[in-house]
Amino acid sequence: ATDNAVGLTRRGYAYFTKSPETLARAAADCARLAAADPANMPLRRHAGFLGDDYAPIDPGFSDCGRLEELPRGFDLLEGAAVRAAFPAVADDVVGCVHARRAGWVSAQQFGAELVNAARALGAEFVTGADVVGVDVVAGAVDGVWVERDGRRERWGADAFVNASGPNLNAVH
């Protein structure tokens, strides 16, 4: 319901190699992943030429409601098939694994959407206050003690989110 406000793209990732040994290991890894997938993820091999089952990347695709139209699984491209799909790739590249339906979002837009959604549900964001304690009653948050402008006060709360960052032992 965000109309792709997070900038999701699902064009896949392409991993290139100049090493035949690395390509062989990648092919084996893809085959293991495909075999382990209960939904029968396909592994398509293209050696020397692109088959009809290779779907090129559509750079304009951004409709998250149409993800089922995108290819699933992996395309393993070897030799000339690599340059047929990716013309700018150097001649010494021997292979490529094109992981389909992989993608990324804009971290800034994603964060903004999370903030907007939380506010719509009643969340309040507070800055300039140090959390000095959290009251817990029967295993659930009951309130938060903060210090702001030299005063200590208690705020009633039924939830508390520590968004102070990774590897911090205290909320600042």
Side-chain angles (χ1 to χ4, degrees):
T2 66
D3 197 29
N4 199 22
V6 297
L8 174 67
T9 61
R10 294 293 291 260
R11 297 181 191 122
Y13 289 121
Y15 303 93
F16 300 92
T17 184
K18 297 177 180 182
S19 163
E21 294 81 16
T22 300
L23 182 61
R25 283 194 310 273
D29 288 344
C30 289
R32 276 193 298 279
L33 287 169
D37 181 25
N40 298 316
M41 175 182 5
L43 170 58
R44 295 169 295 275
R45 296 185 82 114
H46 309 276
F49 66 94
L50 289 177
D52 292 339
D53 58 344
Y54 182 78
I57 297 171
D58 176 359
F61 186 89
S62 64
D63 186 348
C64 295
R66 297 176 30 227
L67 290 178
E68 289 303 315
E69 296 176 22
L70 295 174
R72 295 176 55 246
F74 303 99
D75 285 287
L76 182 67
L77 292 82
E78 299 175 64
V82 177
R83 278 164 293 290
F86 301 96
V89 171
D91 289 337
D92 58 350
V93 170
V94 298
C96 167
V97 173
H98 189 182
R100 309 312 289 256
R101 288 196 188 178
W104 59 93
V105 299
S106 162
Q108 182 179 8
Q109 289 171 280
F110 182 66
E113 282 301 307
L114 288 175
V115 167
N116 291 339
R119 282 191 174 130
L121 293 171
E124 181 180 350
F125 293 84
V126 178
T127 60
D130 291 329
V131 174
V132 294
V134 177
D135 287 340
V136 177
V137 175
V141 171
D142 184 59
V144 178
W145 287 91
V146 299
E147 195 169 289
R148 179 166 54 177
D149 299 328
R151 292 186 334 236
R152 190 174 276 212
E153 54 189 88
R154 183 185 186 280
W155 296 343
D158 58 5
F160 172 71
V161 177
N162 176 357
S164 58
N167 302 319
L168 292 179
N169 294 327
V171 179
H172 301 281

